Amino acid sequence: MAKFVVTPSSQAQRDAWTGGGFPEVERVRPGLWSVPVPIPINPLRYVLVYVLELTDGVAIVDAGWNTDEAYDALVAGLRVAGYEITDVKGVLVTHIHPDHYGLAGRVREASGAWIALHPADAALVGERYDDAAIDSLVARERELLLRSGVPRATLDELAGASMAIRHMVAVAKPDRLVEDGEALGLPGWDLRALWTPGHSPGHLCFVSPSRRLLFSGDHVLARITPIVAVHPQSGPNPLADYLDALAAVRGLDVDEVLPAHEYRFLELAERVDHVMAHHDERLAEIEAVVAAGPGVTCWAVATRLTWSRPWETIAPFMRRAATNETLAHLVWLEARGRVRREGGVPELWHPAG
């Protein structure tokens, strides 16, 4: 696939990303700021929190991880913009992954701000982050990985691979449940929500028609593609959901995309087309692997695909993500009659014919 490079709308932000650095707090345009909040021990390095000026304070889009370093960076960034943490009136959470939702509860404690989530993600908070429920979730993940053909020697390690980052979240039930198309009612902003499931069941983007801006969360990023995976809390066909949601945002009349990672950029439609083409190529690659070795497990398919680094060098957490992402592509192919699944433990995949 030919490489497509988006035009950065902030060259300084792009240079910080490509140079391995940390961008500055930026005034994107009147009434809007970008605040980088560090992500510990993660190649993404930071999440971009957007600060929207209101008549009586500010609202923020996403919050960061629940660490002192992240909290201090958010507070410092707000001060650059001329505000304190106590001025935050609302936290618009794009989705419940720790780097977006983790600090929301701590911000609410400091400011009294409301927290907004889509209902589909709000329904997952307890099972994902409450100590009393986590054993059940890990057990379900283990069962899924077993059906996917993960070797028993690594099964427990992969099933519990995300436990190390659970403490990065201050569990906080949302005050507002935001539906698709809902107007947020922020003074001075015509912001409305767009439900864009796939990366998470309740992922939200936010669009401002008058300012021609899209806050895209993890849905559309400048360079990388978000993980879209089958897991115990996903929908039955998350890749179908994701591709449909990409198509839904493609035609938006916006000038600038403000993602949660990397850097801001311009060409939304072209970037969406490139991401869709990437998934088409991945689907064809997976279909070819199944055709070359009928009766293959999902794990075996994943080990034979092209990744950004050799399979043996991929960390356990990312091997789990890669396996579940491969399963999402297999499920998509199955739904369209291009491969078929043989039940059992493990499940085996065959060409449709």
Side-chain angles (χ1 to χ4, degrees):
M1 181 174 62
K3 186 175 182 180
F4 170 72
V5 179
V6 296
T7 305
S9 50
S10 169
Q11 189 61 45
Q13 202 175 70
R14 180 185 181 278
D15 290 346
W17 170 260
T18 57
F22 200 77
E24 299 291 332
V25 175
E26 283 191 79
R27 185 173 182 261
V28 177
R29 56 181 63 187
L32 176 62
W33 297 78
S34 170
V35 176
V37 174
I39 305 173
I41 322 173
N42 189 295
L44 289 174
R45 300 199 306 273
Y46 54 84
V47 62
L48 295 169
V49 173
Y50 295 100
V51 180
L52 286 61
E53 295 184 2
L54 312 176
T55 55
D56 59 347
V58 296
I60 61 174
V61 177
D62 288 329
W65 296 63
N66 182 31
T67 66
D68 290 341
E69 180 186 10
Y71 183 78
D72 291 345
L74 178 58
V75 170
L78 285 167
R79 286 177 177 161
V80 171
Y83 296 93
E84 297 293 334
I85 194 72
T86 51
D87 293 317
V88 179
K89 305 301 180 183
V91 185
L92 301 170
V93 181
T94 59
H95 59 296
I96 60 165
H97 294 168
D99 51 328
H100 301 260
Y101 164 73
L103 264 181
R106 191 165 172 183
V107 171
R108 183 170 64 186
E109 288 178 5
S111 66
W114 47 260
I115 297 171
L117 276 171
H118 186 274
D121 267 17
L124 306 178
V125 169
E127 184 181 42
R128 179 174 290 234
Y129 295 121
D130 285 354
D131 290 340
I134 195 60
D135 287 346
S136 173
L137 185 61
V138 171
R140 290 166 60 204
E141 178 64 43
R142 188 180 189 279
E143 180 185 350
L144 177 66
L145 294 172
L146 190 63
R147 293 200 311 271
S148 294
V150 172
R152 289 184 180 272
T154 61
L155 191 60
D156 290 335
E157 181 182 24
L158 266 63
S162 61
M163 292 303 97
I165 62 172
R166 289 184 66 250
H167 70 283
M168 302 293 188
V169 172
V171 180
K173 292 184 178 180
D175 307 283
R176 294 182 61 177
L177 298 180
V178 177
E179 299 283 359
D180 183 39
E182 183 175 333
L184 275 303
L186 301 178
W189 287 82
D190 60 343
L191 211 65
R192 63 183 176 88
L194 299 174
W195 180 36
T196 50
H199 182 56
S200 77
H203 190 287
L204 288 170
C205 294
F206 304 100
V207 63
S208 170
S210 66
R211 303 189 192 214
R212 301 171 64 85
L213 297 175
L214 175 67
F215 298 89
S216 65
D218 283 359
H219 186 55
V220 187
L221 302 167
R223 292 176 61 258
I224 61 174
T225 56
I227 293 171
V228 178
V230 172
H231 56 80
Q233 290 191 319
S234 74
N237 194 340
L239 183 58
D241 294 338
Y242 178 66
L243 295 175
D244 287 346
L246 276 181
V249 302
R250 185 192 183 281
L252 291 174
D253 188 15
V254 298
D255 294 330
E256 187 175 7
V257 182
L258 288 74
H261 302 290
E262 300 179 327
Y263 49 88
R264 307 192 307 277
F265 63 95
L266 303 181
E267 302 93 347
L268 173 61
E270 292 85 352
R271 179 57 182 155
V272 166
D273 288 345
H274 192 260
V275 173
M276 287 181 164
H278 158 76
H279 283 288
D280 284 342
E281 286 197 357
R282 190 57 134 187
L283 289 161
E285 183 184 15
I286 289 172
E287 193 171 12
V289 170
V290 173
V296 69
T297 67
C298 175
W299 171 267
V301 173
T303 65
R304 298 171 193 175
L305 298 179
T306 304
W307 300 100
S308 60
R309 60 186 68 87
W311 180 263
E312 59 272 12
T313 68
I314 298 176
F317 177 78
M318 293 310 297
R319 285 193 185 191
R320 186 182 82 178
T323 302
N324 290 353
E325 189 167 22
T326 300
L327 182 57
H329 286 75
L330 285 165
V331 167
W332 189 97
L333 290 167
E334 179 187 37
R336 279 148 185 83
R338 289 166 57 177
V339 300
R340 64 179 178 86
R341 180 177 358 196
E342 178 185 344
V345 181
E347 296 170 334
L348 303 178
W349 294 89
H350 301 267

